[in-house]
C-alpha cells in the first residue's frame, strides 16, 4: 500500500513540474519581468503540493490564480495546459475527499472562471 508520505511526494513533484511549465510559458512567449512570473508560478503551482490537506481551499486558490493570469495575459492562451492540469488535480481531490455537492460546486466555479 502507498504510504501518505509517498502521496505527498507525488504532489510536490507534480507542483514542481507545473511550476516549471508555467514559468517557462510565461518567460518564453512574452519575456515578462520576474515580479510577474513568480506570483503566477506560485499561485498556480504551489497549491498542488498541499491539495490533499485542504482540497477546497486549494481548488479556490488555483482557480483564482489561473483566472488572474489569463485575464492579466501573463500566461499566453496556447500555454494553458499546465494551469488547466493544476485545476484538474484540485478538482479530482475535491471529488474524492468531499461529497457530491462540493464536487459539483467546485466544477461549476472552475468552469465559469
Amino acid at each position: 500500500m502507498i504510504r501518505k508520505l509517498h502521496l505527498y511526494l507525488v504532489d510536490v513533484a507534480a507542483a514542481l513540474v507545473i511550476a516549471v511549465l508555467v514559468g517557462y510559458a510565461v518567460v518564453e512567449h512574452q519575456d515578462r519581468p520576474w515580479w510577474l512570473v513568480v506570483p503566477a508560478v506560485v499561485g498556480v503551482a504551489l497549491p498542488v503540493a498541499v491539495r490533499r490537506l485542504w482540497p477546497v481551499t486549494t481548488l479556490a486558490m488555483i482557480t483564482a490564480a489561473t483566472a488572474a493570469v489569463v485575464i492579466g495575459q501573463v500566461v499566453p492562451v496556447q500555454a494553458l495546459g499546465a494551469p488547466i492540469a493544476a485545476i484538474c488535480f484540485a478538482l479530482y481531490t475535491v471529488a474524492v475527499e468531499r461529497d457530491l455537492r462540493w464536487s459539483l460546486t467546485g466544477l461549476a466555479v472552475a468552469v465559469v472562471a
Side-chain angles (χ1 to χ4, degrees):
M1 183 189 266
I2 299 176
R3 295 180 187 242
K4 282 205 176 240
L5 176 63
H6 294 134
L7 295 175
Y8 291 131
L9 291 175
V10 167
D11 291 345
V12 169
L16 289 174
V17 169
I18 291 171
V20 168
L21 291 174
V22 171
Y24 179 75
V26 171
V27 173
E28 174 68 20
H29 292 288
Q30 299 173 341
D31 195 30
R32 296 284 187 181
W34 68 269
W35 53 270
L36 280 177
V37 174
V38 173
V41 169
V42 168
V44 173
L46 185 64
V48 173
V50 295
R51 70 186 174 105
R52 293 181 201 275
L53 299 174
W54 305 290
V56 176
T57 306
T58 299
L59 177 61
M61 290 176 61
I62 293 173
T63 303
T66 300
V69 298
V70 169
I71 290 170
Q73 297 178 349
V74 176
V75 174
V77 176
Q78 64 268 23
L80 285 179
I84 297 298
I87 290 175
C88 289
F89 274 122
L91 273 172
Y92 170 77
T93 307
V94 170
V96 169
E97 298 289 329
R98 300 290 187 248
D99 63 354
L100 183 62
R101 210 170 340 149
W102 280 104
S103 301
L104 292 177
T105 303
L107 177 64
V109 169
V111 167
V112 168

